[in-house]
Amino acid sequence: MHEHPLQRFFRSLRERPVFAWERYQLRDVLVIDHPLCQAVFSRQGAQLLHFQPAGQKPWLWCAAKWPQVGAIRGGVPVCWPWYGRHPSENAWPSHGWARLLDWKLLDSSSDEEGVRLHWQLQLCDWKVDLHAHLGQSMDLRLSTEHQDTEPCQLSQALHAYWRIGDVGEIALSGLDGAQGYDQLSRQVCQQQGELRVEGGCQRVFQHEGELQLKDHAWQRELCIDTGDHADTVVWHPGTRPLLGVSWNEVSRFVCVEAAVGGTDSLRLAPGEQAHLSLQARAAG
């Protein structure tokens, strides 16, 4: 098994504090070492890059090499205040500003159930908060408040890269019968049985409740919940090359995301809030 690149922070046998800031690949990262889990956040994007409950393999994939500037590929990028390409400004970055900017860590605490963190980003007339609860499971909640005097449009996603043994040996269950849209064929679709993604996949499903990521190579199953008011996006590039990422790395992740407004963006009135969540637990 290839080691997650951020497991390097946990090789030492010396006792670490629960929370410690480190410098890695030109970014500030918060290393979390708790009896129930190990994790790493980047200040850039408030991006959870590594999460590993005690006694388990890593749950999240992250690229070994990061660009000197720009988005980090892996973990759970916060795509905000738009998801995908901006609807009118072609020169603006894909997936918004949030994953490129430094967030403020307003609070961090630990107890016998794990750790809790509260990150915040203020951008013009927007305020967005990310609350994370990590222990034997993972719970991320994103809240946006629109503080302008005029209505606005919003789309957002928690774009999770799940670590797997091999993309050719996974299956997603729990989507049987779900209606969706295949963005590769540009056609509506309905899922029949388990979903396999080895040849590439970019599908958006209207789906509620948990789905199961069955990883036969690692003999484990993760239950992923994208919430009741979000689309479930399943993505893998297949054989399409990703800049700065080797095929050996690409075969070890699949994206299962919570997204809102990818097709029809939300319209927020002044003072209105929007919420998004992503939760995961080990089956059994």
Side-chain angles (χ1 to χ4, degrees):
M1 183 186 76
H2 290 259
E3 184 181 69
H4 190 290
L6 295 173
Q7 286 178 296
R8 64 189 300 275
F9 291 114
F10 306 102
R11 291 177 190 152
S12 173
L13 296 178
R14 66 181 176 86
E15 186 174 342
R16 297 183 58 98
V18 175
F19 302 101
W21 286 101
E22 302 277 359
R23 190 72 175 167
Y24 183 69
Q25 295 202 45
L26 304 179
R27 272 77 165 192
D28 293 328
V29 295
L30 181 64
V31 178
I32 300 167
D33 197 353
H34 184 276
L36 290 184
C37 67
Q38 296 173 336
V40 178
F41 270 94
S42 169
R43 190 194 303 276
Q44 178 185 314
Q47 192 165 332
L48 178 59
L49 297 170
H50 172 58
F51 174 62
Q52 184 172 4
Q56 299 185 40
K57 293 181 175 67
W59 284 20
L60 298 174
W61 173 90
C62 184
K65 186 176 181 180
W66 305 348
Q68 290 192 358
V69 294
I72 302 168
R73 187 179 292 278
V76 189
V78 177
C79 303
W80 179 96
W82 64 88
Y83 172 55
R85 294 184 180 276
H86 190 276
S88 60
E89 300 292 341
N90 292 333
W92 288 9
S94 294
H95 298 316
W97 304 112
R99 64 180 187 154
L100 304 174
L101 299 174
D102 285 353
W103 292 48
K104 290 183 180 180
L105 179 60
L106 297 185
D107 186 51
S108 60
S109 62
S110 66
D111 56 27
E112 66 278 1
E113 295 182 350
V115 297
R116 297 178 186 271
L117 301 98
H118 177 194
W119 296 89
Q120 187 177 89
L121 178 66
Q122 186 88 35
L123 185 63
C124 300
D125 296 307
W126 300 80
K127 185 181 73 171
V128 59
D129 294 89
L130 178 69
H131 292 269
H133 183 201
L134 307 175
Q136 281 292 295
S137 59
M138 185 183 96
D139 187 347
L140 301 177
R141 298 179 185 269
L142 193 68
S143 299
T144 299
E145 182 177 344
H146 175 45
Q147 300 173 324
D148 199 358
T149 57
E150 298 293 332
C152 68
Q153 302 298 118
L154 171 73
S155 60
Q156 56 186 348
L158 292 168
H159 187 331
Y161 290 74
W162 301 98
R163 182 77 158 87
I164 54 176
D166 187 278
V167 71
E169 298 185 51
I170 64 160
L172 292 166
S173 62
L175 291 168
D176 188 32
Q179 300 288 332
Y181 183 76
D182 188 326
Q183 294 179 324
L184 296 181
S185 65
R186 299 185 179 182
Q187 294 179 342
V188 296
C189 62
Q190 183 175 17
Q191 183 58 35
Q192 303 293 332
E194 293 183 331
L195 174 61
R196 298 180 182 273
V197 303
E198 183 178 9
C201 182
Q202 193 170 350
R203 296 184 184 177
V204 182
F205 293 100
Q206 291 78 54
H207 166 76
E208 294 184 2
E210 287 187 335
L211 59 84
Q212 293 75 43
L213 171 56
K214 299 178 179 180
D215 186 343
H216 299 295
W218 275 7
Q219 297 184 333
R220 76 169 177 191
E221 183 175 317
L222 295 179
C223 299
I224 302 168
D225 193 337
T226 57
D228 295 336
H229 305 290
D231 291 333
T232 298
V233 180
V234 180
W235 177 74
H236 189 271
T239 57
R240 181 168 62 87
L242 294 179
L243 185 64
V245 182
S246 69
W247 166 247
N248 192 42
E249 291 182 277
V250 170
S251 66
R252 292 189 170 88
F253 76 76
V254 63
C255 289
V256 181
E257 318 162 26
V260 172
T263 51
D264 296 307
S265 57
L266 296 173
R267 181 178 174 85
L268 291 187
E272 192 174 1
Q273 293 188 352
H275 303 280
L276 189 64
S277 67
L278 180 68
Q279 299 171 295
R281 61 181 181 86

